[in-house]
Amino acid sequence: MARTGSRSRPRPVRGSDTALLIIDVINDLEFPGGERVLPWALRMVERLGPFARRMRGAGVPVIYVNDNFNHWRSNFRDVYRHCTRAGSRGRVVARALRPQAQDYFILKPKHSAFFATSLVPLLEHLGTKRLLMAGIATNLCVFFSAHDAHMHEYDITVLSDCCCAESDMDHDLALDQLQRFLGVRVCRADEVRSERGPKRGARVPATPRT
Amino acid sequence: MARTGSRSRPRPVRGSDTALLIIDVINDLEFPGGERVLPWALRMVERLGPFARRMRGAGVPVIYVNDNFNHWRSNFRDVYRHCTRAGSRGRVVARALRPQAQDYFILKPKHSAFFATSLVPLLEHLGTKRLLMAGIATNLCVFFSAHDAHMHEYDITVLSDCCCAESDMDHDLALDQLQRFLGVRVCRADEVRSERGPKRGARVPATPRT
Amino acid sequence: MARTGSRSRPRPVRGSDTALLIIDVINDLEFPGGERVLPWALRMVERLGPFARRMRGAGVPVIYVNDNFNHWRSNFRDVYRHCTRAGSRGRVVARALRPQAQDYFILKPKHSAFFATSLVPLLEHLGTKRLLMAGIATNLCVFFSAHDAHMHEYDITVLSDCCCAESDMDHDLALDQLQRFLGVRVCRADEVRSERGPKRGARVPATPRT
Amino acid sequence: MARTGSRSRPRPVRGSDTALLIIDVINDLEFPGGERVLPWALRMVERLGPFARRMRGAGVPVIYVNDNFNHWRSNFRDVYRHCTRAGSRGRVVARALRPQAQDYFILKPKHSAFFATSLVPLLEHLGTKRLLMAGIATNLCVFFSAHDAHMHEYDITVLSDCCCAESDMDHDLALDQLQRFLGVRVCRADEVRSERGPKRGARVPATPRT
């Protein structure tokens, strides 16, 4: 009942029409194969951490979409605490990529960031048209979220060095499929240009330089 | 990526096939007309508080579905804090109906509890077939959630004395429409029987006694 | 598999950002109370028929969203045939409002035009931002479709003389609720102006003249 | 408005809790790479045609979910006519797999059979818990539909010899991913047993014999 009365069409609340989606990085990695993901995740952190900072600086909204770990209680903080508990395999990764105050977070019950979540209304609220996608695992939750983003007709870039999987092969295969079958753009984080737009502040074209 | 591998069909995790949906009671009531809702909300608290306790005792899951107040950050605790801040019109109501540790909560971006939320997967996870519905306001978020529940083909009971609206007339009209047009059951909280079932523990038939 | 490869953001395929939604008028009216709807439906036809023609002439897409009558077979023609069979109570109404070649039609399984249908992708395909809504019944399928349209943040006008219900009271009450609670615009068909826009051809502001 | 009043929970309308989903076989194959799909599709027909007949005989509902080819008009027959027109590359395939009178068909606007369609309500109407999946292309619409079916928690079997893709490699890779990452069952059509159940008539366990 909080918001009654007439509501107009969503208006971008930020200067950027791009958003950075970070998927399932707050993760205890306590699943079969998680031990194989860990070294790749640690390398991912080195790229994704600085990239997310750059995006925040450029006014690009950063949206964490994260497994609810069967909590079903809409408390991201509990999920964060769970994944950074002493002994959690994913503790270092989750702490290094801890969301900042201005970031958004959404808990998802299944693989795709779009399934049974409020991601679409949030993206409409933000005026997002272009998605930069990162996270764990390239061939599962990132892959399936990219697919749903495609059906929703967003312009999609998957950041090859800000995603990881159990193996190089699974990672490469998934990126190859996204490119070949869905026409998704795949590039490294340092290929995403930020430039200051003339009017609305920061603007980040999601196109690789080359 | 948390939960990979084959997943079987949902299995009820509780003995009860009923759930209590409590809508938008964690509310600062700071909207036009909120001052008219308040006295009705205070009366609602007297019925809904004890009823929710009775349901918890009977093993019926209690699910809060609540407006996100434009936070978009999947932190129910922030919403609770916001609505119980000093000076919030809804403070007494929200504190009296504070969720308990075993309860579920889901933040919704729009009127209906079903729109862009994980309510359906949660209900499937819980094995819910019957919904007891309560909250604010009878003629808006409760009404529209009941309608969506109807399209999803749940068995629905709206608890007339555990809902409220700006006026008696709006409240009565909405309940009347739900009964006449959608065949929704409407009864008072004390008309919902709890009985111990023979096998699976608690069972709460959602049918009024009369 | 028909459409693979990269797909760009939807582009309006028509000059108009408005669409006319016509709900459940292809109807046999063979339900309890249908005999009370019929006289109102016949009056509705007199307004909606010419209005739909005016909209077609102005380049506004006309979209029929219609109950599937449990056919589940995605054949609008079968539904049309069923509703215009000899002896069908709704035969005259359905024939008078028969869709034209350029119109769209979508079959829906439940009350709302938005529930489990491809209406949202179609509206995105057409570049629709504003909905003119008409059909049967004001207080059920039109009402609930208007509500879902509101959650999807379309600009909504319900055409009071192009909708009908079992009784005047149900009709008026539903329109009153849409105006008061959701801020939906309600006006007569002749209050919708069509004017030729400067560039893109027809343009139909959904605002009443007064 | 067709179906008002109280509606009870869906009841299986058939004896079987299994359904056969046939995806995008009514297809003109007029897309880049379609010429490479054709020979595989002709082989697929030899297995899928008899298998669908066997399923119909066993009381298993057969559901065609098919691209709308941008028609947006809910007329499967138009799509069928379009794909079987003289000169259509997919004509022989579409004609050989023509839906029968008792089959269901749903038009989809995007890759997944579940996206913006009434497939879920139909499956609930039918009481379906297990899906046998077939069609074109293994690595696109079948693959993404299988993924959505997984998120909806259906029990899934993909029929390896009743699907096809542009190349053997794309086909095998997709099936391998479905097995490894989602735990989907993959088997040949002749590995699906039909047996008569004791009470409800036909029953088709979706498990391979071996």
Side-chain angles (χ1 to χ4, degrees):
Chain A
M1 175 141 190
R3 289 157 298 120
T4 58
S6 117
R7 216 163 335 152
S8 49
R9 290 291 297 167
R11 253 164 251 135
V13 296
R14 301 250 199 169
S16 178
D17 67 354
T18 301
L20 172 58
L21 276 196
I22 302 182
I23 294 170
D24 278 348
V25 300
I26 309 302
N27 201 317
D28 61 9
L29 300 177
E30 301 289 353
F31 50 84
E35 73 285 358
R36 285 191 296 280
V37 174
L38 183 60
W40 298 103
L42 292 168
R43 284 177 58 171
M44 173 191 75
V45 164
E46 288 170 38
R47 309 299 172 99
L48 180 51
F51 182 73
R53 279 192 289 280
R54 178 152 75 90
M55 290 301 104
R56 287 181 194 110
V60 170
V62 175
I63 304 169
Y64 287 74
V65 189
N66 215 89
D67 201 278
N68 70 7
F69 286 83
N70 270 315
H71 278 220
W72 299 102
R73 277 176 177 86
S74 286
N75 261 319
F76 191 81
R77 232 161 275 166
D78 295 346
V79 170
Y80 182 78
R81 198 172 302 132
H82 173 80
C83 293
T84 56
R85 70 189 184 275
S88 157
R89 186 183 279 145
R91 178 186 169 105
V92 175
V93 174
R95 290 174 75 156
L97 296 173
R98 180 181 193 141
Q100 300 303 300
Q102 75 270 40
D103 298 345
Y104 296 91
F105 16 99
I106 285 178
L107 295 175
K108 65 181 173 66
K110 303 278 177 176
H111 291 92
S112 169
F114 289 87
F115 185 85
T117 72
S118 56
L119 182 55
V120 166
L122 175 56
L123 295 175
E124 288 181 354
H125 174 71
L126 295 168
T128 303
K129 298 198 179 326
R130 303 199 285 176
L131 295 175
L132 305 170
M133 299 184 69
I136 302 171
T138 323
N139 61 326
L140 280 165
C141 293
V142 175
F143 187 62
F144 289 124
S145 298
H147 174 251
D148 277 353
H150 179 79
M151 292 203 292
H152 283 283
E153 303 198 341
Y154 289 98
D155 179 287
I156 307 162
T157 302
V158 176
L159 303 168
S160 55
D161 56 349
C162 295
C163 293
C164 64
E166 278 192 45
S167 75
D168 234 8
M169 205 195 75
D170 286 338
H171 174 83
D172 290 347
L173 204 57
L175 295 180
D176 179 62
Q177 287 175 305
L178 288 174
Q179 284 184 293
R180 282 172 58 215
F181 301 140
L182 303 185
V184 164
R185 206 178 296 111
V186 174
C187 71
R188 295 192 317 273
D190 66 6
E191 291 176 312
V192 175
R193 286 175 303 169
S194 329
E195 6 170 292
R196 290 275 148 191
K199 255 211 310 244
R200 299 266 253 147
R203 187 170 129 73
V204 178
T207 40
R209 252 189 312 242
T210 44
Chain B
M1 175 147 191
R3 287 154 302 119
T4 58
S6 117
R7 216 163 335 151
S8 50
R9 290 288 299 167
R11 253 164 251 134
V13 296
R14 301 249 197 168
S16 178
D17 66 355
T18 301
L20 172 59
L21 277 196
I22 300 181
I23 295 170
D24 278 348
V25 300
I26 309 303
N27 201 317
D28 61 10
L29 299 178
E30 301 288 352
F31 51 84
E35 72 286 358
R36 284 192 295 280
V37 174
L38 182 58
W40 298 103
L42 292 169
R43 283 176 59 171
M44 173 191 75
V45 165
E46 287 170 41
R47 308 300 173 98
L48 180 51
F51 182 72
R53 280 192 289 280
R54 178 152 75 93
M55 291 300 104
R56 288 180 193 111
V60 170
V62 175
I63 305 169
Y64 286 74
V65 189
N66 215 87
D67 201 279
N68 68 9
F69 286 83
N70 270 314
H71 279 222
W72 299 101
R73 276 177 178 85
S74 286
N75 260 320
F76 191 81
R77 233 161 272 167
D78 296 345
V79 170
Y80 182 78
R81 199 174 300 132
H82 172 80
C83 294
T84 57
R85 70 189 185 275
S88 157
R89 185 183 281 145
R91 179 184 168 108
V92 174
V93 174
R95 291 174 74 156
L97 296 174
R98 182 182 193 139
Q100 300 303 301
Q102 74 270 38
D103 297 345
Y104 297 90
F105 16 100
I106 285 178
L107 295 175
K108 65 182 173 66
K110 303 277 178 177
H111 290 91
S112 169
F114 289 86
F115 186 85
T117 72
S118 57
L119 181 56
V120 165
L122 174 56
L123 295 176
E124 289 181 353
H125 173 72
L126 295 169
T128 303
K129 297 197 179 329
R130 303 200 285 177
L131 296 175
L132 304 171
M133 300 185 67
I136 301 170
T138 322
N139 61 326
L140 282 165
C141 294
V142 174
F143 187 62
F144 288 124
S145 299
H147 174 251
D148 277 352
H150 180 79
M151 291 201 293
H152 282 283
E153 304 198 339
Y154 289 98
D155 179 287
I156 307 163
T157 301
V158 177
L159 303 168
S160 54
D161 56 349
C162 296
C163 295
C164 63
E166 278 191 46
S167 74
D168 232 9
M169 204 196 76
D170 286 338
H171 174 82
D172 289 347
L173 206 56
L175 295 181
D176 179 61
Q177 287 175 305
L178 288 173
Q179 284 184 292
R180 280 172 58 215
F181 301 141
L182 303 184
V184 164
R185 205 178 296 111
V186 174
C187 70
R188 295 193 315 272
D190 66 5
E191 291 176 312
V192 175
R193 284 175 304 169
S194 331
E195 9 170 291
R196 293 274 147 191
K199 256 207 314 234
R200 297 266 253 149
R203 186 169 131 73
V204 178
T207 40
R209 251 192 310 243
T210 44
Chain C
M1 178 148 189
R3 287 156 300 119
T4 58
S6 117
R7 213 158 344 146
S8 50
R9 289 290 296 169
R11 252 164 252 135
V13 295
R14 300 252 197 165
S16 177
D17 67 354
T18 301
L20 172 59
L21 276 196
I22 301 182
I23 295 170
D24 278 349
V25 300
I26 309 303
N27 202 318
D28 61 9
L29 300 177
E30 301 289 352
F31 50 83
E35 72 285 359
R36 283 190 296 280
V37 174
L38 181 60
W40 298 104
L42 291 169
R43 284 176 59 172
M44 174 190 77
V45 165
E46 287 170 39
R47 309 300 173 98
L48 180 51
F51 182 72
R53 280 192 289 278
R54 179 152 74 92
M55 291 300 104
R56 287 181 195 111
V60 170
V62 175
I63 304 168
Y64 286 75
V65 189
N66 214 89
D67 202 278
N68 69 9
F69 286 83
N70 270 313
H71 278 221
W72 300 102
R73 277 177 177 87
S74 287
N75 261 320
F76 191 80
R77 232 161 274 168
D78 295 347
V79 170
Y80 182 78
R81 198 172 302 133
H82 173 80
C83 294
T84 56
R85 70 189 182 276
S88 157
R89 186 183 281 145
R91 179 183 169 107
V92 175
V93 174
R95 290 174 74 156
L97 297 173
R98 183 183 190 138
Q100 300 302 302
Q102 74 269 39
D103 298 344
Y104 297 90
F105 17 97
I106 286 178
L107 294 175
K108 65 182 175 65
K110 303 276 177 177
H111 291 91
S112 169
F114 289 86
F115 185 85
T117 72
S118 56
L119 181 56
V120 166
L122 174 56
L123 295 175
E124 290 181 352
H125 174 71
L126 295 169
T128 303
K129 297 196 181 331
R130 305 198 285 177
L131 296 175
L132 304 171
M133 299 183 69
I136 302 171
T138 322
N139 61 325
L140 281 164
C141 294
V142 174
F143 187 62
F144 289 124
S145 298
H147 174 251
D148 277 353
H150 180 80
M151 293 202 293
H152 282 283
E153 303 196 343
Y154 289 98
D155 180 286
I156 307 161
T157 300
V158 177
L159 303 169
S160 55
D161 56 349
C162 296
C163 294
C164 63
E166 278 191 45
S167 74
D168 233 9
M169 204 195 76
D170 287 338
H171 174 82
D172 290 347
L173 205 58
L175 294 180
D176 179 63
Q177 286 175 305
L178 288 174
Q179 283 184 292
R180 282 172 58 214
F181 301 140
L182 303 184
V184 164
R185 204 177 299 110
V186 174
C187 71
R188 293 193 315 275
D190 66 5
E191 291 175 313
V192 175
R193 284 176 303 170
S194 330
E195 6 170 292
R196 291 274 147 190
K199 255 208 315 240
R200 296 269 252 150
R203 187 170 130 71
V204 178
T207 42
R209 253 190 310 242
T210 45
Chain D
M1 178 148 189
R3 288 157 299 119
T4 57
S6 117
R7 215 161 339 148
S8 50
R9 292 288 298 168
R11 252 164 254 135
V13 296
R14 299 252 197 166
S16 178
D17 67 354
T18 301
L20 171 59
L21 276 195
I22 300 182
I23 295 171
D24 277 349
V25 299
I26 308 303
N27 201 318
D28 61 10
L29 299 177
E30 300 290 352
F31 50 85
E35 72 286 359
R36 283 192 295 280
V37 174
L38 182 60
W40 298 104
L42 292 169
R43 284 177 58 173
M44 173 190 77
V45 165
E46 288 169 39
R47 308 300 173 98
L48 180 52
F51 183 72
R53 279 193 289 279
R54 178 152 74 92
M55 291 300 105
R56 286 180 195 113
V60 170
V62 175
I63 304 169
Y64 286 75
V65 189
N66 214 89
D67 201 278
N68 68 10
F69 287 83
N70 271 315
H71 277 222
W72 300 101
R73 278 177 175 86
S74 287
N75 260 320
F76 192 81
R77 232 161 275 166
D78 295 346
V79 171
Y80 182 77
R81 198 172 303 134
H82 173 80
C83 294
T84 56
R85 69 190 183 275
S88 157
R89 187 183 279 145
R91 178 184 169 107
V92 174
V93 174
R95 290 174 75 155
L97 297 173
R98 182 184 191 139
Q100 300 303 299
Q102 74 270 39
D103 298 344
Y104 297 90
F105 17 99
I106 286 179
L107 295 174
K108 66 182 174 65
K110 303 277 177 177
H111 290 92
S112 170
F114 289 86
F115 186 84
T117 71
S118 56
L119 181 55
V120 166
L122 174 57
L123 295 175
E124 289 181 353
H125 173 72
L126 295 169
T128 303
K129 298 194 179 334
R130 306 198 284 178
L131 295 175
L132 305 171
M133 298 183 69
I136 302 170
T138 322
N139 61 326
L140 281 165
C141 293
V142 174
F143 187 61
F144 289 123
S145 299
H147 174 251
D148 277 352
H150 180 79
M151 293 202 291
H152 282 283
E153 305 198 340
Y154 289 98
D155 179 287
I156 306 162
T157 300
V158 176
L159 302 169
S160 55
D161 56 350
C162 295
C163 294
C164 64
E166 278 191 44
S167 74
D168 232 8
M169 205 197 75
D170 287 338
H171 173 83
D172 289 347
L173 206 57
L175 294 181
D176 179 62
Q177 287 176 305
L178 288 174
Q179 284 185 292
R180 281 173 57 216
F181 301 141
L182 302 184
V184 164
R185 204 177 298 113
V186 174
C187 72
R188 294 192 316 274
D190 66 5
E191 291 175 313
V192 176
R193 283 177 303 169
S194 328
E195 9 170 291
R196 291 274 148 189
K199 255 210 314 237
R200 298 268 254 148
R203 186 171 132 72
V204 179
T207 40
R209 253 191 309 243
T210 45

